[in-house]
Every structure is written in C-alpha cells, then in structure tokens.
mmCIF file of all heavy atoms in Angstrom:
data_model
loop_
_atom_site.group_PDB
_atom_site.id
_atom_site.type_symbol
_atom_site.label_atom_id
_atom_site.label_comp_id
_atom_site.label_asym_id
_atom_site.label_seq_id
_atom_site.Cartn_x
_atom_site.Cartn_y
_atom_site.Cartn_z
ATOM 1 N N ARG A 1 0.874 -1.161 -0.048
ATOM 2 C CA ARG A 1 -0.059 0.017 0.067
ATOM 3 C C ARG A 1 0.901 1.157 0.010
ATOM 4 O O ARG A 1 1.973 1.224 0.524
ATOM 5 C CB ARG A 1 -1.022 -0.053 1.136
ATOM 6 C CG ARG A 1 -0.244 0.045 2.545
ATOM 7 C CD ARG A 1 -1.182 -0.085 3.766
ATOM 8 N NE ARG A 1 -0.580 -0.098 4.926
ATOM 9 C CZ ARG A 1 0.077 -1.047 5.565
ATOM 10 N NH1 ARG A 1 0.065 -2.288 4.829
ATOM 11 N NH2 ARG A 1 0.682 -1.057 6.753
ATOM 12 N N LYS A 2 0.404 2.281 -0.508
ATOM 13 C CA LYS A 2 1.123 3.574 -0.654
ATOM 14 C C LYS A 2 1.118 4.237 0.742
ATOM 15 O O LYS A 2 0.152 4.204 1.484
ATOM 16 C CB LYS A 2 0.449 4.538 -1.507
ATOM 17 C CG LYS A 2 0.959 5.887 -1.623
ATOM 18 C CD LYS A 2 2.300 5.949 -2.497
ATOM 19 C CE LYS A 2 2.845 7.326 -2.551
ATOM 20 N NZ LYS A 2 3.963 7.526 -1.647
ATOM 21 N N GLU A 3 2.353 4.640 1.254
ATOM 22 C CA GLU A 3 2.560 5.342 2.505
ATOM 23 C C GLU A 3 3.753 6.132 2.524
ATOM 24 O O GLU A 3 4.803 5.656 2.176
ATOM 25 C CB GLU A 3 2.588 4.205 3.576
ATOM 26 C CG GLU A 3 2.486 4.791 5.028
ATOM 27 C CD GLU A 3 2.520 3.741 6.134
ATOM 28 O OE1 GLU A 3 1.528 3.112 6.316
ATOM 29 O OE2 GLU A 3 3.695 3.448 6.666
ATOM 30 N N GLY A 4 3.539 7.372 2.873
ATOM 31 C CA GLY A 4 4.770 8.225 2.981
ATOM 32 C C GLY A 4 5.041 8.955 1.685
ATOM 33 O O GLY A 4 4.126 9.220 0.846
ATOM 34 N N PRO A 5 6.278 9.392 1.485
ATOM 35 C CA PRO A 5 6.659 10.156 0.289
ATOM 36 C C PRO A 5 6.503 9.469 -1.035
ATOM 37 O O PRO A 5 6.256 8.235 -1.024
ATOM 38 C CB PRO A 5 8.101 10.503 0.567
ATOM 39 C CG PRO A 5 8.611 9.500 1.403
ATOM 40 C CD PRO A 5 7.437 9.057 2.331
ATOM 41 N N GLU A 6 6.713 10.246 -2.099
ATOM 42 C CA GLU A 6 6.582 9.559 -3.488
ATOM 43 C C GLU A 6 7.414 8.376 -3.528
ATOM 44 O O GLU A 6 8.539 8.427 -3.115
ATOM 45 C CB GLU A 6 6.912 10.627 -4.528
ATOM 46 C CG GLU A 6 6.698 10.053 -5.955
ATOM 47 C CD GLU A 6 6.820 11.174 -6.965
ATOM 48 O OE1 GLU A 6 7.242 12.277 -6.722
ATOM 49 O OE2 GLU A 6 6.652 10.853 -8.136
ATOM 50 N N GLY A 7 6.902 7.314 -4.039
ATOM 51 C CA GLY A 7 7.744 6.046 -4.303
ATOM 52 C C GLY A 7 7.882 5.210 -3.110
ATOM 53 O O GLY A 7 8.410 4.115 -3.230
ATOM 54 N N HIS A 8 7.262 5.591 -2.002
ATOM 55 C CA HIS A 8 7.351 4.749 -0.823
ATOM 56 C C HIS A 8 6.100 3.830 -0.603
ATOM 57 O O HIS A 8 5.045 4.380 -0.689
ATOM 58 C CB HIS A 8 7.557 5.578 0.433
ATOM 59 C CG HIS A 8 7.929 4.728 1.660
ATOM 60 N ND1 HIS A 8 7.066 4.357 2.599
ATOM 61 C CD2 HIS A 8 9.192 4.247 2.004
ATOM 62 C CE1 HIS A 8 7.691 3.670 3.517
ATOM 63 N NE2 HIS A 8 8.942 3.555 3.160
ATOM 64 N N TYR A 9 6.338 2.625 -0.278
ATOM 65 C CA TYR A 9 5.219 1.591 -0.044
ATOM 66 C C TYR A 9 5.482 0.864 1.199
ATOM 67 O O TYR A 9 6.610 0.717 1.686
ATOM 68 C CB TYR A 9 5.089 0.662 -1.258
ATOM 69 C CG TYR A 9 4.613 1.401 -2.524
ATOM 70 C CD1 TYR A 9 5.480 1.928 -3.338
ATOM 71 C CD2 TYR A 9 3.275 1.548 -2.840
ATOM 72 C CE1 TYR A 9 5.141 2.693 -4.515
ATOM 73 C CE2 TYR A 9 2.858 2.203 -4.024
ATOM 74 C CZ TYR A 9 3.786 2.734 -4.792
ATOM 75 O OH TYR A 9 3.411 3.407 -5.945
ATOM 76 N N VAL A 10 4.403 0.236 1.716
ATOM 77 C CA VAL A 10 4.514 -0.621 2.883
ATOM 78 C C VAL A 10 3.656 -1.936 2.586
ATOM 79 O O VAL A 10 2.618 -1.858 2.010
ATOM 80 C CB VAL A 10 3.972 0.052 4.159
ATOM 81 C CG1 VAL A 10 3.897 -0.817 5.297
ATOM 82 C CG2 VAL A 10 4.732 1.269 4.461
ATOM 83 N N VAL A 11 4.254 -3.075 3.034
ATOM 84 C CA VAL A 11 3.540 -4.323 2.868
ATOM 85 C C VAL A 11 3.640 -5.110 4.149
ATOM 86 O O VAL A 11 4.628 -5.077 4.829
ATOM 87 C CB VAL A 11 4.217 -5.099 1.695
ATOM 88 C CG1 VAL A 11 5.610 -5.453 1.810
ATOM 89 C CG2 VAL A 11 3.395 -6.359 1.330
ATOM 90 N N ASP A 12 2.555 -5.784 4.452
ATOM 91 C CA ASP A 12 2.386 -6.614 5.630
ATOM 92 C C ASP A 12 2.669 -8.100 5.172
ATOM 93 O O ASP A 12 1.777 -8.556 4.314
ATOM 94 C CB ASP A 12 1.075 -6.419 6.392
ATOM 95 C CG ASP A 12 0.938 -5.084 6.953
ATOM 96 O OD1 ASP A 12 1.910 -4.512 7.542
ATOM 97 O OD2 ASP A 12 -0.161 -4.469 6.852
ATOM 98 N N VAL A 13 3.642 -8.779 5.716
ATOM 99 C CA VAL A 13 3.835 -10.144 5.228
ATOM 100 C C VAL A 13 3.824 -11.139 6.404
ATOM 101 O O VAL A 13 4.412 -10.853 7.446
ATOM 102 C CB VAL A 13 5.320 -10.188 4.631
ATOM 103 C CG1 VAL A 13 5.690 -11.471 4.085
ATOM 104 C CG2 VAL A 13 5.513 -9.130 3.564
ATOM 105 N N THR A 14 3.206 -12.235 6.173
ATOM 106 C CA THR A 14 3.182 -13.360 7.123
ATOM 107 C C THR A 14 3.683 -14.600 6.387
ATOM 108 O O THR A 14 3.038 -15.177 5.472
ATOM 109 C CB THR A 14 1.812 -13.629 7.706
ATOM 110 O OG1 THR A 14 1.352 -12.324 8.278
ATOM 111 C CG2 THR A 14 1.808 -14.643 8.796
ATOM 112 N N PHE A 15 4.797 -15.140 6.840
ATOM 113 C CA PHE A 15 5.332 -16.326 6.316
ATOM 114 C C PHE A 15 4.632 -17.615 7.044
ATOM 115 O O PHE A 15 4.740 -17.579 8.278
ATOM 116 C CB PHE A 15 6.846 -16.421 6.369
ATOM 117 C CG PHE A 15 7.500 -15.441 5.491
ATOM 118 C CD1 PHE A 15 7.836 -14.147 6.024
ATOM 119 C CD2 PHE A 15 7.878 -15.776 4.271
ATOM 120 C CE1 PHE A 15 8.466 -13.253 5.107
ATOM 121 C CE2 PHE A 15 8.544 -14.848 3.351
ATOM 122 C CZ PHE A 15 8.823 -13.533 3.860
ATOM 123 N N PRO A 16 3.997 -18.472 6.346
ATOM 124 C CA PRO A 16 3.321 -19.567 7.053
ATOM 125 C C PRO A 16 4.159 -20.675 7.600
ATOM 126 O O PRO A 16 3.723 -21.389 8.438
ATOM 127 C CB PRO A 16 2.506 -20.114 5.902
ATOM 128 C CG PRO A 16 3.100 -19.785 4.614
ATOM 129 C CD PRO A 16 3.875 -18.533 4.888
ATOM 130 N N ALA A 17 5.464 -20.728 7.255
ATOM 131 C CA ALA A 17 6.273 -21.827 7.616
ATOM 132 C C ALA A 17 7.722 -21.364 7.782
ATOM 133 O O ALA A 17 8.169 -20.417 7.145
ATOM 134 C CB ALA A 17 6.234 -23.018 6.656
ATOM 135 N N ALA A 18 8.444 -22.097 8.639
ATOM 136 C CA ALA A 18 9.852 -21.788 8.771
ATOM 137 C C ALA A 18 10.673 -22.338 7.700
ATOM 138 O O ALA A 18 10.149 -23.200 6.841
ATOM 139 C CB ALA A 18 10.336 -22.416 10.115
ATOM 140 N N GLY A 19 11.866 -21.833 7.476
ATOM 141 C CA GLY A 19 12.740 -22.296 6.308
ATOM 142 C C GLY A 19 13.183 -21.126 5.482
ATOM 143 O O GLY A 19 13.068 -20.033 5.841
ATOM 144 N N GLY A 20 13.816 -21.548 4.365
ATOM 145 C CA GLY A 20 14.381 -20.542 3.500
ATOM 146 C C GLY A 20 13.290 -20.144 2.481
ATOM 147 O O GLY A 20 12.585 -20.935 1.956
ATOM 148 N N TRP A 21 13.278 -18.868 2.189
ATOM 149 C CA TRP A 21 12.335 -18.256 1.180
ATOM 150 C C TRP A 21 13.035 -17.391 0.385
ATOM 151 O O TRP A 21 13.844 -16.473 0.682
ATOM 152 C CB TRP A 21 11.177 -17.477 1.967
ATOM 153 C CG TRP A 21 10.275 -18.289 2.885
ATOM 154 C CD1 TRP A 21 10.468 -18.777 4.087
ATOM 155 C CD2 TRP A 21 8.959 -18.672 2.397
ATOM 156 N NE1 TRP A 21 9.406 -19.609 4.502
ATOM 157 C CE2 TRP A 21 8.423 -19.513 3.556
ATOM 158 C CE3 TRP A 21 8.183 -18.514 1.368
ATOM 159 C CZ2 TRP A 21 7.200 -20.049 3.461
ATOM 160 C CZ3 TRP A 21 6.911 -19.078 1.281
ATOM 161 C CH2 TRP A 21 6.409 -19.817 2.418
ATOM 162 N N ALA A 22 12.764 -17.507 -0.992
ATOM 163 C CA ALA A 22 13.335 -16.628 -2.005
ATOM 164 C C ALA A 22 12.189 -15.552 -2.181
ATOM 165 O O ALA A 22 11.058 -15.878 -2.389
ATOM 166 C CB ALA A 22 13.527 -17.406 -3.383
ATOM 167 N N TRP A 23 12.564 -14.299 -2.041
ATOM 168 C CA TRP A 23 11.567 -13.246 -2.129
ATOM 169 C C TRP A 23 11.891 -12.139 -3.112
ATOM 170 O O TRP A 23 13.098 -11.949 -3.469
ATOM 171 C CB TRP A 23 11.166 -12.738 -0.790
ATOM 172 C CG TRP A 23 12.272 -12.178 0.096
ATOM 173 C CD1 TRP A 23 13.624 -12.562 0.163
ATOM 174 C CD2 TRP A 23 12.180 -11.140 1.100
ATOM 175 N NE1 TRP A 23 14.306 -11.842 1.036
ATOM 176 C CE2 TRP A 23 13.492 -10.903 1.533
ATOM 177 C CE3 TRP A 23 11.217 -10.357 1.512
ATOM 178 C CZ2 TRP A 23 13.696 -9.949 2.516
ATOM 179 C CZ3 TRP A 23 11.464 -9.441 2.516
ATOM 180 C CH2 TRP A 23 12.670 -9.236 2.967
ATOM 181 N N ARG A 24 10.851 -11.510 -3.597
ATOM 182 C CA ARG A 24 11.103 -10.474 -4.617
ATOM 183 C C ARG A 24 9.906 -9.455 -4.540
ATOM 184 O O ARG A 24 8.820 -9.790 -4.056
ATOM 185 C CB ARG A 24 11.180 -11.020 -5.990
ATOM 186 C CG ARG A 24 9.863 -11.722 -6.380
ATOM 187 C CD ARG A 24 10.043 -12.700 -7.644
ATOM 188 N NE ARG A 24 10.749 -12.110 -8.665
ATOM 189 C CZ ARG A 24 10.946 -12.784 -9.868
ATOM 190 N NH1 ARG A 24 10.428 -13.953 -9.969
ATOM 191 N NH2 ARG A 24 11.619 -12.296 -10.758
ATOM 192 N N ILE A 25 10.152 -8.257 -5.020
ATOM 193 C CA ILE A 25 9.042 -7.233 -5.113
ATOM 194 C C ILE A 25 8.915 -6.816 -6.593
ATOM 195 O O ILE A 25 9.882 -6.466 -7.226
ATOM 196 C CB ILE A 25 9.303 -6.070 -4.241
ATOM 197 C CG1 ILE A 25 9.290 -6.426 -2.709
ATOM 198 C CG2 ILE A 25 8.270 -5.025 -4.464
ATOM 199 C CD1 ILE A 25 9.596 -5.386 -1.684
ATOM 200 N N ALA A 26 7.642 -6.892 -7.086
ATOM 201 C CA ALA A 26 7.457 -6.559 -8.428
ATOM 202 C C ALA A 26 6.637 -5.222 -8.505
ATOM 203 O O ALA A 26 5.376 -5.215 -8.239
ATOM 204 C CB ALA A 26 6.668 -7.620 -9.131
ATOM 205 N N PRO A 27 7.188 -4.066 -8.951
ATOM 206 C CA PRO A 27 6.423 -2.835 -9.059
ATOM 207 C C PRO A 27 5.980 -2.649 -10.493
ATOM 208 O O PRO A 27 6.842 -2.178 -11.350
ATOM 209 C CB PRO A 27 7.469 -1.800 -8.592
ATOM 210 C CG PRO A 27 8.745 -2.436 -8.969
ATOM 211 C CD PRO A 27 8.659 -3.890 -8.869
ATOM 212 N N GLU A 28 4.841 -3.176 -10.842
ATOM 213 C CA GLU A 28 4.423 -3.060 -12.209
ATOM 214 C C GLU A 28 4.375 -1.547 -12.697
ATOM 215 O O GLU A 28 4.006 -0.724 -11.887
ATOM 216 C CB GLU A 28 3.018 -3.714 -12.433
ATOM 217 C CG GLU A 28 2.971 -5.186 -12.177
ATOM 218 C CD GLU A 28 3.861 -5.989 -13.129
ATOM 219 O OE1 GLU A 28 4.050 -5.519 -14.274
ATOM 220 O OE2 GLU A 28 4.366 -7.004 -12.767
ATOM 221 N N PRO A 29 4.746 -1.309 -13.900
ATOM 222 C CA PRO A 29 5.013 -2.058 -14.989
ATOM 223 C C PRO A 29 6.339 -2.490 -15.138
ATOM 224 O O PRO A 29 6.890 -2.995 -16.175
ATOM 225 C CB PRO A 29 4.566 -1.173 -16.209
ATOM 226 C CG PRO A 29 5.020 0.222 -15.690
ATOM 227 C CD PRO A 29 4.679 0.211 -14.218
ATOM 228 N N PHE A 30 7.248 -2.231 -14.173
ATOM 229 C CA PHE A 30 8.648 -2.689 -14.116
ATOM 230 C C PHE A 30 8.820 -4.103 -13.785
ATOM 231 O O PHE A 30 7.907 -4.728 -13.143
ATOM 232 C CB PHE A 30 9.485 -1.763 -13.214
ATOM 233 C CG PHE A 30 9.303 -0.318 -13.526
ATOM 234 C CD1 PHE A 30 8.493 0.529 -12.721
ATOM 235 C CD2 PHE A 30 9.881 0.362 -14.615
ATOM 236 C CE1 PHE A 30 8.303 1.824 -12.949
ATOM 237 C CE2 PHE A 30 9.626 1.651 -14.910
ATOM 238 C CZ PHE A 30 8.920 2.406 -14.118
ATOM 239 N N GLY A 31 9.883 -4.677 -14.017
ATOM 240 C CA GLY A 31 10.195 -6.012 -13.693
ATOM 241 C C GLY A 31 10.458 -6.213 -12.194
ATOM 242 O O GLY A 31 10.725 -5.123 -11.492
ATOM 243 N N PRO A 32 10.439 -7.304 -11.712
ATOM 244 C CA PRO A 32 10.659 -7.613 -10.280
ATOM 245 C C PRO A 32 12.119 -7.287 -9.798
ATOM 246 O O PRO A 32 13.016 -7.325 -10.600
ATOM 247 C CB PRO A 32 10.240 -9.090 -9.976
ATOM 248 C CG PRO A 32 10.575 -9.705 -11.404
ATOM 249 C CD PRO A 32 10.228 -8.630 -12.409
ATOM 250 N N THR A 33 12.332 -7.017 -8.504
ATOM 251 C CA THR A 33 13.560 -6.874 -7.943
ATOM 252 C C THR A 33 13.743 -8.054 -6.968
ATOM 253 O O THR A 33 12.931 -8.167 -6.047
ATOM 254 C CB THR A 33 13.751 -5.565 -7.133
ATOM 255 O OG1 THR A 33 13.611 -4.475 -8.087
ATOM 256 C CG2 THR A 33 15.102 -5.466 -6.511
ATOM 257 N N ASP A 34 14.742 -8.918 -7.334
ATOM 258 C CA ASP A 34 14.948 -10.029 -6.405
ATOM 259 C C ASP A 34 15.630 -9.623 -5.113
ATOM 260 O O ASP A 34 16.678 -8.767 -5.149
ATOM 261 C CB ASP A 34 15.771 -11.069 -7.077
ATOM 262 C CG ASP A 34 15.091 -11.854 -8.227
ATOM 263 O OD1 ASP A 34 13.864 -12.076 -7.918
ATOM 264 O OD2 ASP A 34 15.662 -12.119 -9.142
ATOM 265 N N LEU A 35 15.167 -10.002 -3.988
ATOM 266 C CA LEU A 35 15.703 -9.567 -2.659
ATOM 267 C C LEU A 35 16.557 -10.724 -2.004
ATOM 268 O O LEU A 35 16.973 -10.586 -0.849
ATOM 269 C CB LEU A 35 14.583 -9.240 -1.726
ATOM 270 C CG LEU A 35 13.732 -8.007 -2.217
ATOM 271 C CD1 LEU A 35 12.484 -7.912 -1.219
ATOM 272 C CD2 LEU A 35 14.493 -6.811 -2.289
ATOM 273 N N GLY A 36 16.834 -11.798 -2.787
ATOM 274 C CA GLY A 36 17.647 -12.888 -2.273
ATOM 275 C C GLY A 36 16.837 -13.853 -1.533
ATOM 276 O O GLY A 36 15.677 -14.093 -1.793
ATOM 277 N N THR A 37 17.416 -14.607 -0.565
ATOM 278 C CA THR A 37 16.758 -15.498 0.401
ATOM 279 C C THR A 37 16.623 -14.922 1.768
ATOM 280 O O THR A 37 17.547 -14.229 2.263
ATOM 281 C CB THR A 37 17.499 -16.859 0.311
ATOM 282 O OG1 THR A 37 18.765 -16.647 0.772
ATOM 283 C CG2 THR A 37 17.442 -17.435 -1.104
ATOM 284 N N LEU A 38 15.636 -15.424 2.373
ATOM 285 C CA LEU A 38 15.381 -14.983 3.730
ATOM 286 C C LEU A 38 15.146 -16.209 4.583
ATOM 287 O O LEU A 38 14.404 -17.142 4.229
ATOM 288 C CB LEU A 38 14.123 -14.123 3.774
ATOM 289 C CG LEU A 38 13.571 -13.675 5.273
ATOM 290 C CD1 LEU A 38 14.575 -12.660 5.815
ATOM 291 C CD2 LEU A 38 12.194 -13.069 5.113
ATOM 292 N N THR A 39 15.740 -16.283 5.785
ATOM 293 C CA THR A 39 15.544 -17.444 6.626
ATOM 294 C C THR A 39 14.453 -17.114 7.618
ATOM 295 O O THR A 39 14.555 -16.183 8.468
ATOM 296 C CB THR A 39 16.840 -17.909 7.338
ATOM 297 O OG1 THR A 39 17.816 -18.127 6.447
ATOM 298 C CG2 THR A 39 16.642 -19.084 8.288
ATOM 299 N N VAL A 40 13.389 -17.880 7.601
ATOM 300 C CA VAL A 40 12.219 -17.628 8.621
ATOM 301 C C VAL A 40 12.440 -18.591 9.599
ATOM 302 O O VAL A 40 12.579 -19.774 9.398
ATOM 303 C CB VAL A 40 10.860 -17.800 7.809
ATOM 304 C CG1 VAL A 40 9.683 -17.718 8.789
ATOM 305 C CG2 VAL A 40 10.769 -16.851 6.685
ATOM 306 N N LEU A 41 12.383 -18.119 10.857
ATOM 307 C CA LEU A 41 12.620 -18.977 12.059
ATOM 308 C C LEU A 41 11.266 -19.683 12.499
ATOM 309 O O LEU A 41 10.187 -19.153 12.110
ATOM 310 C CB LEU A 41 13.028 -18.111 13.229
ATOM 311 C CG LEU A 41 14.374 -17.422 13.009
ATOM 312 C CD1 LEU A 41 14.754 -16.463 14.182
ATOM 313 C CD2 LEU A 41 15.523 -18.426 12.762
ATOM 314 N N PRO A 42 11.311 -20.709 13.239
ATOM 315 C CA PRO A 42 10.080 -21.346 13.694
ATOM 316 C C PRO A 42 9.237 -20.493 14.481
ATOM 317 O O PRO A 42 9.781 -19.577 15.183
ATOM 318 C CB PRO A 42 10.534 -22.602 14.456
ATOM 319 C CG PRO A 42 11.945 -22.833 14.016
ATOM 320 C CD PRO A 42 12.491 -21.495 13.587
ATOM 321 N N ALA A 43 7.935 -20.644 14.529
ATOM 322 C CA ALA A 43 7.066 -19.855 15.396
ATOM 323 C C ALA A 43 7.467 -20.025 16.805
ATOM 324 O O ALA A 43 7.891 -21.102 17.262
ATOM 325 C CB ALA A 43 5.649 -20.234 15.217
#
C-alpha cells in the first residue's frame, strides 16, 4: 500500500512456515527486484 513520500510503499507479510524463502518485489509495469533469500525462524 502507498504510505509516505513519493515512491514509498509498505507491505504486511506473514510467512506460514519456517525455512528458506526466495523473495522479490514486483512494481508493475517494471520487472521484479529479487531480494535474495530470507531465513524464517520457527514460530
């Protein structure tokens, strides 16, 4: 969702399981930006 100055966005994310996750953000009409991998710890 749009929040703050021009170009700034905020997203609420809930990972359902622990483990490694490859994540990316796609700002259409541009291509996605890969953010690498993230390790999610157990609940």
Side-chain angles (χ1 to χ4, degrees):
R1 64 186 177 277
K2 174 79 179 103
E3 188 176 285
E6 184 172 7
H8 190 263
Y9 293 88
V10 174
V11 62
D12 298 319
V13 182
T14 305
F15 291 91
W21 291 80
W23 56 328
R24 65 195 315 179
I25 296 179
E28 296 297 333
F30 305 106
T33 297
D34 289 323
L35 300 173
T37 57
L38 176 71
T39 301
V40 176
L41 301 172

